[in-house]
Amino acid sequence: MANNDIKRICVVGAGQMGHQIAMLCALGGYQTKLQDVNADALEKAQYSLEALMEQWVQKKKITQEERESAFNRLAFTGVLEEAASDADMVIEAVVEKLDVKRDIFTQLDRIAPPHAILASNSSTIVNSLIAEVTGRPEQVCNMHFFFPPLVMDCVEVVMSDRTSEETAQKALAVCEQIGLTGILLRKEISGFVANRILGALQKEAMDLYEAGIADYADIDLIVKKALRHPIGPFELMDLSGIDVGYYVMQQRYAETGDPADKPPAFIEEKVKAGELGRKTGKGFYDYSLKEVRS
C-alpha cells in the first residue's frame, strides 16, 4: 500500500511506548520527532534506543548504515510546537489519563498542520472521547501499539463513527511501512480487542489472588504451565507497569460506574508505594534480589 502523503511523524511522550514507536517510525523511513516535556525522559529514551539499536546491529537485524540513517531521521525535543508544527501525523503516547490526553490533543489541534492525522496510542480510551476537543474528528483515530513496540507485531487501528476512511487507510499504511501488522477495527469499544481479552484474564487472576485462592506466583505458574502462556498475568503487570494497568482500570470504572471495574485495593496500594514493577525494581516480584519465578 502506497503512503505518499505522510513524510514527517511526531511522537508525543518518550516513555516506554513512545520512544520505541518513534524508533520504528525512523527505521521505516519517516522524519521523526520525539517530544517530551521531561528532559530526563528524553535523555533516557535516547540512551535506551542507542543501546537497543546497537544490539540489533550485533544480531544482524539491521546494518550499521541502517542504524545511522535511522538516527539521522530521529530528533528529540522538549517543545511541542517544534515537534508537531510540520508533522503529517502525530502519535500520542502519554499517560493513560483522559484529561491529560484531551489537553494534549487540544494543543495539537492548534499546532499541527490542518491536514495532519492525530492518533492516540491509548490502550483503552476510545478516540471519540479525545477527538471532541479538536476541530478535526475525522482525522483522529487510535493506533494502539503493544509493549514493547520494537518486538510486538500488531497495531490496533480503531475508527470512531467520525473517523474518515482516508484517515484509517493512511494509519494502516504507516503500520505497513514500519513493518508491523495493522488491524482495522471499524467500531470502537473501550479496551479494543486484545486488552479486553487480556483484561478478562487479568481480572480473574486478581480476583483469585484477592480471594486467597492462590498466591500470585502460583497463578502465574499455572497460567504458564497449563495454558502455555509465555508470561503470567502478574509478571505481565510488572512488565508493562502496574501504574499503567491501574490507570486503565480507573478509566474503565469512570466510564461504567461498575464496582467490578474498580481497581483492587492491593493494586492501589502498590501504586501508592511506588512498587510499579520492573521499571522501579519491585512490583509483585522483587527484581533487585531474584529472577522472576518460572
Side-chain angles (χ1 to χ4, degrees):
M1 181 184 298
N3 182 28
N4 298 322
D5 294 333
I6 295 176
K7 306 292 186 184
R8 297 173 296 277
I9 295 179
C10 163
V11 179
V12 180
Q16 60 181 1
M17 294 295 291
H19 76 286
Q20 292 200 14
I21 294 171
M23 193 74 244
L24 280 167
C25 294
L27 286 167
Y30 294 107
Q31 293 295 327
T32 307
K33 293 178 182 176
L34 177 61
Q35 185 272 338
D36 200 299
V37 294
N38 187 324
D40 289 340
L42 283 173
E43 184 177 352
K44 182 179 178 182
Q46 185 168 1
Y47 176 82
S48 175
L49 290 175
E50 287 173 351
L52 277 170
M53 291 303 100
E54 186 57 38
Q55 289 177 15
W56 278 27
V57 171
Q58 296 300 321
K59 294 177 180 178
K60 301 189 184 306
K61 295 179 71 173
I62 59 174
T63 66
Q64 183 65 33
E65 291 73 23
E66 288 171 333
R67 176 188 183 277
E68 291 175 2
S69 294
F71 276 106
N72 286 336
R73 288 188 290 268
L74 179 59
F76 301 82
T77 179
V79 182
L80 189 60
E81 287 80 0
E82 181 182 332
S85 61
D86 63 349
D88 301 311
M89 170 181 276
V90 181
I91 302 173
E92 165 271 313
V94 302
V95 66
E96 197 74 354
K97 292 184 177 181
L98 179 58
D99 58 340
V100 176
K101 293 181 185 294
R102 284 168 66 96
D103 177 63
I104 288 173
F105 271 70
T106 299
Q107 296 179 62
L108 288 172
D109 191 44
R110 172 179 56 84
I111 296 168
H115 70 273
I117 291 171
L118 306 181
S120 175
N121 178 54
S122 174
S123 60
T124 301
I125 302 170
V126 293
N127 73 78
S128 59
L129 294 177
I130 305 170
E132 63 186 22
V133 303
T134 77
R136 60 180 94 184
E138 71 284 353
Q139 293 163 230
V140 178
C141 66
N142 290 91
M143 289 181 71
H144 176 217
F145 294 75
F146 291 84
F147 181 77
L150 284 166
V151 174
M152 300 297 288
D153 177 22
C154 187
V155 182
E156 292 175 318
V157 175
V158 189
M159 302 174 69
S160 73
D161 58 5
R162 299 191 66 181
T163 305
S164 72
E165 184 70 23
E166 181 183 9
T167 293
Q169 293 305 318
K170 286 183 178 180
L172 288 171
V174 169
C175 295
E176 182 176 344
Q177 184 158 331
I178 65 177
L180 298 187
T181 301
I183 302 171
L184 181 61
L185 304 180
R186 294 183 176 276
K187 186 174 182 179
E188 62 177 13
I189 184 171
S190 177
F192 319 131
V193 172
N195 277 351
R196 290 188 73 88
I197 295 170
L198 178 61
L201 186 148
Q202 287 187 329
K203 185 178 186 308
E204 187 63 30
M206 290 188 292
D207 287 348
L208 290 168
Y209 172 61
E210 193 170 38
I213 303 301
D215 182 70
Y216 64 85
D218 288 329
I219 293 171
D220 278 349
L221 189 59
I222 290 168
V223 168
K224 289 186 290 184
K225 296 294 186 181
L227 304 182
R228 301 299 297 272
H229 288 205
I231 188 171
F234 293 94
E235 290 173 328
L236 182 57
M237 283 186 269
D238 273 5
L239 178 64
S240 59
I242 294 172
D243 55 330
V244 175
Y246 175 68
Y247 295 141
V248 167
M249 287 181 269
Q250 278 190 319
Q251 178 61 33
R252 180 72 61 83
Y253 178 56
E255 291 178 18
T256 68
D258 185 348
D261 291 327
K262 191 174 183 180
F266 68 87
I267 292 289
E268 186 170 1
E269 288 169 5
K270 287 204 170 290
V271 172
K272 289 181 177 178
E275 298 176 357
L276 309 181
R278 288 181 180 270
K279 62 186 176 184
T280 60
K282 185 176 182 182
F284 289 99
Y285 298 89
D286 190 336
Y287 299 93
S288 65
L289 299 177
K290 60 183 178 180
E291 295 294 322
V292 176
R293 183 176 176 178
S294 60

